[in-house]
Amino acid sequence: MRRRQFIELTAACLLPSTALAKWDVSAIAARPDLLYVDERFPQAQREAASWAPSPARIAVCGDVTPFWSRELARRVGEAPAYIRGVTVASFLFCFRTLAAEHADLVIATSRLDRNLIAWSLASTPKPEGQRTPWLNHYHRA
């Protein structure tokens, strides 16, 4: 790899992180649009109850797929979103993997115990041409 290619590649990698620097993760805690709570764990219920109220508190049982298909794909692909959760790590992992195809993400996590993590996520939709084509069907009217 030549020096010029290396510099161009490095600059291209830095652009998204610079654009995301404007997100203040504490703003997510102040007013999340959605709050996902794993109903299988009493500690998740207690932790979520100590947070600021959310317009939509959604009980989950470990799998993000039904929520992704019904609402999350549209929400992260159309407008900036602030989302919080107290879930198992696999819920956030799958959500993050799916959402990263549609939006730029800023995520903060905190492990509560062996099973649970508390997380906050801010998303900014990617332009239509930068999304993975096979996922774009979620954004059609």
Side-chain angles (χ1 to χ4, degrees), residues 35-64:
L35 172 60
Y36 289 94
V37 182
D38 196 315
E39 65 183 4
R40 299 173 297 174
F41 300 95
Q43 183 178 357
Q45 303 289 333
R46 288 190 303 273
E47 180 71 19
S50 72
W51 294 350
S54 172
R57 181 177 168 150
I58 302 161
V60 301
C61 286
D63 186 12
V64 72

Side-chain angles (χ1 to χ4, degrees), residues 25 28 92 95-97 105-109 118-122:
V25 177
I28 304 166
L92 177 59
F95 176 36
R96 180 181 62 209
T97 302
L105 308 173
V106 175
I107 303 170
T109 62
W119 51 270
S120 299
L121 178 145

Side-chain angles (χ1 to χ4, degrees), residues 52-119:
S54 172
R57 181 177 168 150
I58 302 161
V60 301
C61 286
D63 186 12
V64 72
T65 309
F67 305 103
W68 178 257
S69 301
R70 280 195 305 254
E71 178 177 16
L72 285 172
R74 180 188 51 77
R75 177 146 332 214
V76 300
E78 291 178 356
Y82 297 105
I83 303 169
R84 287 191 85 182
V86 183
T87 63
V88 292
S90 61
F91 183 96
L92 177 59
F93 174 80
C94 293
F95 176 36
R96 180 181 62 209
T97 302
L98 292 166
E101 301 295 334
H102 299 284
D104 293 318
L105 308 173
V106 175
I107 303 170
T109 62
S110 176
R111 181 157 294 281
L112 299 176
D113 66 16
R114 191 176 114 241
N115 297 309
L116 293 172
I117 59 169
W119 51 270

Side-chain angles (χ1 to χ4, degrees), residues 119-140:
W119 51 270
S120 299
L121 178 145
S123 67
T124 304
K126 289 181 179 178
E128 192 69 36
Q130 292 181 8
R131 297 181 187 157
T132 302
W134 63 273
L135 293 174
N136 283 344
H137 70 276
Y138 289 116
H139 298 286
R140 293 193 181 128

